[in-house]
Amino acid sequence: MGHGYSRDKHLFTKSRSLERLQADHLALFVGIGMPKAVPWGSVYLTEENLLLQRSTHALTAFLKSHRIILCTDEQQISDHIGLCLSVLALLLKQWGDYPEETTERTIREFLRDHLLPWSGRFANCSPPMLKRLYMHY
């Protein structure tokens, strides 16, 4: 009898945790109105907080010049945080496989021009929620 209660309590706690993560995700990235942590870089780099601005076009040109093609199930703007982190992972893997100076320069350029100018502001949008999402995984 005691084991069933413990298992039910664990399932309830896990369910509540999942509900909390889903609520955090909704508030951070989807929002009712404006999300707290908009996942596109151009929003942080323009005074008007607009998508598809000069920074997005510069990133698209960078990707094209380095023959990086983003393949997603859904059409997505190239300066989405998830895509940018995927590009960084790809570049780091390439550097690990082929440790050349040109690859290191490419990584530095990507970080300097396309990720670091806005990712700190993104990460600071709602630290408690992001921390819960991070700690869950």
Side-chain angles (χ1 to χ4, degrees), residues 35-85:
K36 292 182 180 183
V38 178
W40 298 282
S42 56
V43 172
Y44 299 94
L45 298 174
T46 61
E47 194 173 312
E48 302 83 13
N49 302 108
L50 300 173
L51 291 172
L52 292 167
Q53 299 302 300
R54 186 176 308 158
S55 61
T56 308
H57 301 298
L59 175 57
T60 301
F62 170 87
L63 296 172
K64 188 175 183 178
S65 73
H66 292 285
R67 298 191 311 243
I68 298 172
I69 299 170
L70 302 174
C71 298
T72 61
D73 292 338
E74 300 173 1
Q75 190 170 0
Q76 188 58 261
I77 300 170
S78 62
D79 65 346
H80 186 281
I81 186 68
L83 294 177
C84 287
L85 293 175

Side-chain angles (χ1 to χ4, degrees), residues 18-130:
L18 180 59
E19 288 173 12
R20 180 69 183 254
L21 286 171
Q22 289 171 329
D24 285 350
H25 180 272
L26 181 67
L28 279 169
F29 306 119
V30 179
I32 297 173
M34 185 70 150
K36 292 182 180 183
V38 178
W40 298 282
S42 56
V43 172
Y44 299 94
L45 298 174
T46 61
E47 194 173 312
E48 302 83 13
N49 302 108
L50 300 173
L51 291 172
L52 292 167
Q53 299 302 300
R54 186 176 308 158
S55 61
T56 308
H57 301 298
L59 175 57
T60 301
F62 170 87
L63 296 172
K64 188 175 183 178
S65 73
H66 292 285
R67 298 191 311 243
I68 298 172
I69 299 170
L70 302 174
C71 298
T72 61
D73 292 338
E74 300 173 1
Q75 190 170 0
Q76 188 58 261
I77 300 170
S78 62
D79 65 346
H80 186 281
I81 186 68
L83 294 177
C84 287
L85 293 175
S86 294
V87 168
L88 179 59
L90 172 72
L91 293 172
L92 290 169
K93 182 179 181 334
Q94 287 176 352
W95 189 40
D97 294 343
Y98 311 103
E100 298 176 10
E101 189 177 321
T102 55
T103 309
E104 183 179 349
R105 268 197 311 266
T106 302
I107 293 168
R108 289 178 187 275
E109 177 186 353
F110 176 73
L111 289 170
R112 181 192 67 229
D113 297 346
H114 305 292
L115 186 58
L116 293 179
W118 65 273
S119 58
R121 286 184 55 205
F122 167 79
N124 287 324
C125 285
S126 187
M129 288 181 179
L130 286 173

Side-chain angles (χ1 to χ4, degrees), residues 1-9:
M1 205 181 229
H3 294 295
Y5 172 75
S6 176
R7 186 187 73 217
D8 290 346
K9 183 178 178 185

